Amino acid sequence: MLRRLRARGAADPVTHVERVPARAGVPAPWPTWAPAELRAAFAQRGVVAPWQHQAEAANLAYEGEHVVVATGTASGKSLAYQLPALATLLADPRATVLYLAPTKALAADQLRAVAALELEGVRPACYDGDTPRTEREWIRRHSRFVLTNPDMLHHGILPGHAQWSGFLRRLAYVVIDECHTYRGVFGSHVAHVLRRLRRQCARFGATPVFVLASATSGDPATAAGRLTGLPVTAVTEDASPRGGVTFALWEPPLLPPDSSAPSAVPAQATGGHDAETDLIQVRRSALRETADLLADTVAEGVRTLAFVRSRKGAEVVAASARRALDDAVPGLGDRVAAYRGGYLREERRELERALLHGDLLGLASTNALELGVDLVGLDAVLICGYPGTRASLWQQAGRAGRSGQEALAVLVARDDPLDTYLVHHPEAIFGAPVEATVLDPANPYVLAPQLACAAVEAPLTPADLVLFGDGAKEAVDELVAAGALRQRPTGWYWRHRERPEVDLRGEGGAPIAVVESSTGRLLGTVDGGSSHFLLHPGAVYLHQGVSYVVDDLDLADGCALVHVEEPDWSTHARDVTDLSVVSVRSYVDAGPVGMFLGEVDVTSQVVSYQRRRIATGEVIDTRPLDLPTRELRTVAVWFTLSPQSLALAGVKSADVPGALHAAEHAAIGLLPLMATCDRWDIGGLSTAVHPDTEAPTVFVYDGHPGGAGFAERAYGTASAWLRATRDAIAECGCETGCPSCVQSPKCGNGNNPLSKPDAIRVLDVVLANLPE
């Protein structure tokens, strides 16, 4: 199949092919404690015996040890927790199990798997935001295997712990699936939600065993321990059989030299969050390349899943592939669809059903389907742009070949510094260890609101402060000083009538409902943090291939009104950012160069948007917007240079802003090589003279309140990070800078000014002086 795909164009777009060989499995006997009824139920589903890692993890959990099984995609991690959990439910008719998944799709998939075993008395049920009110009371009273997500645990179960007392009192196991996804601010919040769960269980006399499942990751025992606050044993040797995988790195071809139009797929674009339509392309768009590959594989009858980084991108890839297939064979385009967050429950379930049953041959999805949804029979996976971490890359690639057959995975590089670097440095993918998960439960912007939530559920005690860990006492003192808590001899009490509003995912507030103004129909939702970019008045919004234009964005009511329209222009939001230094945690004095880590205040505002002709990329006009500013206190890494050192390096005074700006963009693009983030998790700012440093300065900051651990990682690996940044710029074949090196899809200044040669000189000065 790869040979046929490579033959599509004149030049070979494949820069590297990695062959991951097939592997035989190592089975193990059923544990002696597994009841015959359970073994027979698994055998009926085709599981004749567990693999060695499944049995090892299951035995540890059954013996009462907290365990994380961190093995590859499709290695059967679910059996490792289902086996002890279901055996306990069958042996003890009062015991209960709580299963947590990061997405509703994964919980629904696990529900199908457990229900299919048809075990009497287990009564599995999903309890999430989609669960009808009429079913919730039945689930609380009767289900013994409840599947939910951290959001529902935080917003529904823990605040209603009195109603859940029977379930929590008998809780034997807590299963945390895909735990590697709990990183950054989201992971830090979930860590405290789990501590709140442990606290409530202890009040009811229960001490459940935690069983975690993770994709292959660096040091999973430490990460799982930080997440749960408990000692955790790791099982990491994958004993499952695996089909061979052909993994290709694919760089879209260069456009003809005389081409000046954007190569984006001809569909409406929205906001400032997607690279492929924001800039004049030097290379063919990764979106278009992925869409063509998807159409080709579907035309060959190959069941294919295309992962696209943005919601809009998934819509565009699916729409373009459908058009290409319908042009070739009318009606064949119906075998392709888009799948993303923000769809209504009924749409998601129907798409999942159609893919599982083969009605769909191709699906363009965001990472909503990255996790362990059992998509048996997929032959190929297309990954449109590096997903930010090697863990996610292998997780997505592992969606193919789940029945043990040969599989194809293709990483299609975006015109982006990191993607370009990776397709020409395959050792950074195939020769490097998978990243460790980064989370910081001591983040005061996470810890204080979580302690407030805990105080609502029950007054805090000194013992609770030990449970919540470092910084808890200081956070409680601050809550008392702010009037949120009142200290009494029996503990700290919440003083207000309403609960604190805490956003686990750090998405900038409650989701915004997208409503068709003429019919009142709810189309979907957009997270609050993206709404200023994607739903500003005049923005173009895509939903299942249909284009809408936003009439009004009401942030107070959480609603955007839209109407159907197919304009011949796309929209691109522009923002401005200011940054001030609050404090310095650590610094390195390297003569003319300084490297710093500390707290900063970032103020940003979306101030306007451009309308551009889809066919030519011509800017029609720039329209002002009146949206509120957003303020963020976070953690940043920054470096300063003396003006004299820049002058000696050949950077003229007039070129300093463009040099720093280009270095900033490239550094942001390469940071995911060092930390478990992608460029949308981080921001940056550069200036020829910053008022707080009084020197030329480049800042890179975490895009989450209180920080997410990424800036700390950048500071700790500064030499390696900036060396890779310098190499990526220098090795790019363009003359003056392009999206593959120094241009950024996020830039609020339209990528102006930029100086590629001077960015290399800036980084040379930093690297020459900074200690390794």
Side-chain angles (χ1 to χ4, degrees):
M1 184 66 206
L2 179 61
R3 188 179 301 112
R4 293 197 295 275
L5 294 176
R6 295 172 79 167
R8 291 166 53 245
D12 187 359
V14 175
T15 61
H16 179 80
V17 176
E18 187 80 10
R19 175 68 186 160
V20 182
R23 179 185 65 211
V26 181
W30 288 106
T32 55
W33 45 260
E37 177 188 357
L38 183 57
R39 296 199 302 268
F42 279 122
Q44 269 203 312
R45 304 294 297 171
V47 181
V48 294
W51 304 116
Q52 196 169 70
H53 67 279
Q54 294 170 325
E56 181 184 354
N59 275 316
L60 287 168
Y62 195 78
E63 291 165 4
E65 196 164 334
H66 308 294
V67 62
V68 56
V69 54
T71 52
T73 307
S75 60
K77 291 185 286 289
S78 58
L79 184 67
Y81 55 74
Q82 287 175 1
L83 191 54
L86 294 172
T88 299
L89 294 185
L90 292 174
D92 179 358
R94 292 178 53 79
T96 60
V97 172
L98 182 66
Y99 168 95
L100 297 173
T103 66
K104 294 176 182 177
L106 181 54
D109 185 72
Q110 280 296 307
L111 175 62
R112 284 192 291 267
V114 174
L117 296 173
E118 298 180 339
L119 298 170
E120 187 176 352
V122 172
R123 299 186 292 274
C126 272
Y127 188 88
D128 57 32
D130 292 338
T131 305
R133 296 281 174 185
T134 53
E135 296 179 16
R136 296 188 180 190
E137 179 63 22
W138 183 93
I139 293 171
R140 283 193 294 266
R141 289 180 176 273
H142 301 292
S143 176
R144 299 176 60 220
F145 196 121
V146 172
L147 302 99
T148 187
N149 52 62
D151 308 84
M152 197 63 177
L153 180 59
H154 164 63
H155 289 293
I157 295 175
L158 289 175
H161 58 81
Q163 296 173 295
W164 284 87
S165 60
F167 181 89
L168 295 175
R169 183 175 287 111
R170 305 190 302 273
L171 189 59
Y173 288 96
V174 176
V175 176
I176 305 173
D177 208 353
E178 305 292 357
C179 66
H180 64 282
T181 62
Y182 301 124
R183 61 178 179 83
V185 168
F186 180 40
S188 303
H189 272 296
V190 172
H192 287 299
V193 172
L194 295 177
R195 284 157 176 78
R196 286 162 50 201
L197 172 64
R198 290 173 52 205
R199 178 174 178 249
Q200 290 301 327
C201 287
R203 292 180 67 233
F204 293 122
T207 54
V209 174
F210 282 74
V211 187
L212 301 95
S214 170
T216 303
S217 65
D219 199 2
T222 298
R226 191 176 294 123
L227 184 66
T228 60
L230 296 163
V232 179
T233 301
V235 174
T236 58
E237 291 297 322
D238 192 338
S240 64
R242 182 183 62 197
V245 179
T246 299
F247 203 135
L249 304 183
W250 187 290
E251 185 173 42
L254 288 166
L255 293 173
D258 61 348
S259 176
S260 60
S263 67
V265 182
Q268 309 300 335
T270 313
H273 277 51
D274 291 284
E276 289 82 355
T277 53
D278 266 7
L279 303 166
I280 294 176
Q281 299 290 297
V282 174
R283 291 192 175 274
R284 194 166 187 262
S285 163
L287 282 182
R288 170 165 277 177
E289 197 81 348
T290 303
D292 286 354
L293 289 171
L294 179 60
D296 289 344
T297 56
V298 169
E300 296 271 353
V302 176
R303 292 185 65 188
T304 307
L305 182 59
F307 284 107
V308 189
R309 289 165 58 89
S310 70
R311 294 180 175 189
K312 186 212 68 178
E315 296 276 6
V316 167
V317 166
S320 183
R322 282 196 295 263
R323 281 195 299 270
L325 289 165
D326 282 334
D327 288 344
V329 180
L332 188 56
D334 294 339
R335 306 291 299 278
V336 174
Y339 184 103
R340 60 171 175 79
Y343 282 177
L344 302 181
R345 177 194 186 189
E346 295 75 17
E347 290 178 289
R348 294 196 308 270
R349 297 294 175 265
E350 175 56 28
L351 288 167
E352 292 160 19
R353 186 208 62 77
L355 189 64
L356 286 168
H357 289 80
D359 299 337
L360 288 174
L361 273 178
L363 200 65
S365 173
T366 59
N367 63 1
L369 282 182
E370 173 183 319
L371 306 178
V373 177
D374 193 10
L375 305 177
V376 175
L378 286 176
D379 306 302
V381 164
L382 308 173
I383 303 167
C384 182
Y386 183 63
T389 66
R390 287 181 289 274
S392 285
L393 182 73
W394 287 108
Q395 187 82 350
Q396 293 181 1
R399 290 299 101 200
R402 288 179 64 89
S403 295
Q405 75 271 31
E406 289 289 311
L408 173 66
V410 180
L411 171 61
V412 181
R414 292 169 303 147
D415 228 349
D416 172 272
L418 180 55
D419 286 39
T420 303
Y421 180 88
L422 289 174
V423 294
H424 292 287
H425 294 80
E427 70 279 2
I429 294 176
F430 302 108
V434 177
E435 308 90 345
T437 303
V438 177
L439 67 148
D440 179 18
N443 179 341
Y445 288 84
V446 172
L447 181 53
Q450 286 292 336
L451 285 167
C453 291
V456 176
E457 292 153 9
L460 293 168
T461 67
D464 293 331
L465 303 189
V466 176
L467 172 67
F468 285 96
D470 294 342
K473 181 60 170 67
E474 293 80 0
V476 164
D477 289 343
E478 290 181 9
L479 289 167
V480 171
L485 295 181
R486 174 181 287 124
Q487 187 171 7
R488 289 286 184 261
T490 52
W492 290 272
Y493 288 73
W494 180 247
R495 296 187 61 181
H496 305 297
R497 298 180 65 181
E498 67 280 357
R499 288 179 50 81
E501 289 290 333
V502 179
D503 176 13
L504 294 191
R505 297 177 185 263
E507 293 176 334
I512 304 297
V514 183
V515 177
E516 188 174 19
S517 53
S518 60
T519 64
R521 180 168 66 104
L522 176 65
L523 298 175
T525 60
V526 169
D527 64 85
S530 301
S531 61
H532 290 210
F533 287 91
L534 303 181
L535 295 176
H536 61 77
V540 179
Y541 175 80
L542 277 178
H543 184 83
Q544 281 291 9
V546 179
S547 175
Y548 299 83
V549 173
V550 178
D551 299 315
D552 180 58
L553 171 61
D554 190 329
L555 294 169
D557 287 343
C559 177
L561 297 177
V562 302
H563 68 271
V564 176
E565 186 178 340
E566 292 282 347
D568 64 351
W569 38 262
S570 59
T571 54
H572 306 261
R574 310 284 295 273
D575 64 342
V576 295
T577 301
D578 290 318
L579 181 150
S580 61
V581 175
V582 177
S583 65
V584 175
R585 289 187 188 175
S586 181
Y587 71 94
V588 175
D589 185 348
V593 172
M595 180 68 64
F596 300 83
L597 177 72
E599 285 78 26
V600 297
D601 280 336
V602 181
T603 303
S604 62
Q605 183 179 23
V606 174
V607 294
S608 63
Y609 70 98
Q610 285 185 343
R611 296 191 307 158
R612 302 180 196 168
R613 297 278 180 210
I614 292 172
T616 65
E618 169 198 358
V619 176
I620 302 171
D621 57 21
T622 299
R623 299 189 171 190
L625 290 169
D626 183 21
L627 292 171
T629 59
R630 289 180 162 176
E631 296 181 356
L632 171 73
R633 177 161 292 186
T634 186
V635 179
V637 57
W638 65 94
F639 61 82
T640 61
L641 307 96
S642 71
Q644 294 82 0
S645 68
L646 292 176
L648 287 172
V651 182
K652 297 177 182 177
S653 178
D655 295 330
V656 169
L660 298 176
H661 195 196
E664 171 216 329
H665 282 180
I668 289 172
L670 269 292
L671 182 53
L673 198 61
M674 306 294 162
T676 51
C677 65
D678 60 41
R679 72 183 307 152
W680 305 107
D681 288 320
I682 48 185
L685 182 140
S686 56
T687 176
V689 181
H690 191 273
D692 293 332
T693 65
E694 299 180 347
T697 310
V698 172
F699 293 89
V700 175
Y701 58 85
D702 293 352
H704 300 278
F710 309 137
E712 285 96 331
R713 180 68 177 159
Y715 181 77
T717 61
S719 294
W721 166 42
L722 296 178
R723 173 69 60 190
T725 301
R726 190 257 180 220
D727 291 346
I729 301 173
E731 292 170 6
C732 186
C734 71
E735 291 185 11
T736 59
C738 69
S740 293
C741 57
V742 299
Q743 291 184 346
S744 169
K746 298 171 62 180
C747 184
N749 295 318
N751 286 286
N752 184 49
L754 291 175
S755 175
K756 174 184 175 177
D758 289 322
I760 297 173
R761 296 185 182 101
V762 164
L763 292 168
D764 282 340
V765 172
V766 175
L767 291 166
N769 290 278
L770 197 66
E772 288 292 332

